[in-house]
Amino acid sequence: MENKKPETITIFLPKGKPTGLRIVEILGWTGKGYIIPRDSLKLALKRSDLESQAVYFLVGENEDKEKSVYID
């Protein structure tokens, strides 16, 4: 079993709402994660830091309430 070292995760809430747009960073890692609810998409699209290359995960449910993920 491999021992994992502890990591520090920072979550930034641009509008101060934990259910809104969230920006996630891991200390010492150059990437960022963005959690963007549908109602925060317009706000997110105005951010210049989202104009770079990225991998996108669209998470939701289909008509049968089954969870699904689209990766682009």
Side-chain angles (χ1 to χ4, degrees), residues 16-43:
K17 291 178 16 182
T19 57
L21 173 63
R22 289 161 280 174
I23 303 170
V24 182
E25 294 183 86
I26 297 174
L27 188 64
W29 185 54
T30 58
K32 289 184 182 181
Y34 294 84
I35 302 168
I36 308 169
R38 286 184 190 264
D39 64 351
S40 300
L41 186 58
K42 285 184 182 181
L43 169 68

Side-chain angles (χ1 to χ4, degrees):
M1 179 180 216
E2 185 179 330
N3 289 333
K4 299 287 183 179
K5 65 177 185 144
E7 298 286 348
T8 299
I9 297 175
T10 302
I11 302 173
F12 176 64
L13 310 172
K15 289 293 186 178
K17 291 178 16 182
T19 57
L21 173 63
R22 289 161 280 174
I23 303 170
V24 182
E25 294 183 86
I26 297 174
L27 188 64
W29 185 54
T30 58
K32 289 184 182 181
Y34 294 84
I35 302 168
I36 308 169
R38 286 184 190 264
D39 64 351
S40 300
L41 186 58
K42 285 184 182 181
L43 169 68
L45 291 175
K46 294 178 182 178
R47 298 185 62 87
S48 62
D49 52 335
L50 286 175
E51 294 177 1
S52 61
Q53 296 177 347
V55 175
Y56 299 91
F57 296 85
L58 179 59
V59 180
E61 294 180 346
N62 63 18
E63 298 81 24
D64 298 326
K65 301 292 184 191
E66 297 173 326
K67 301 236 183 242
S68 62
V69 177
Y70 173 79
I71 303 170
D72 186 24

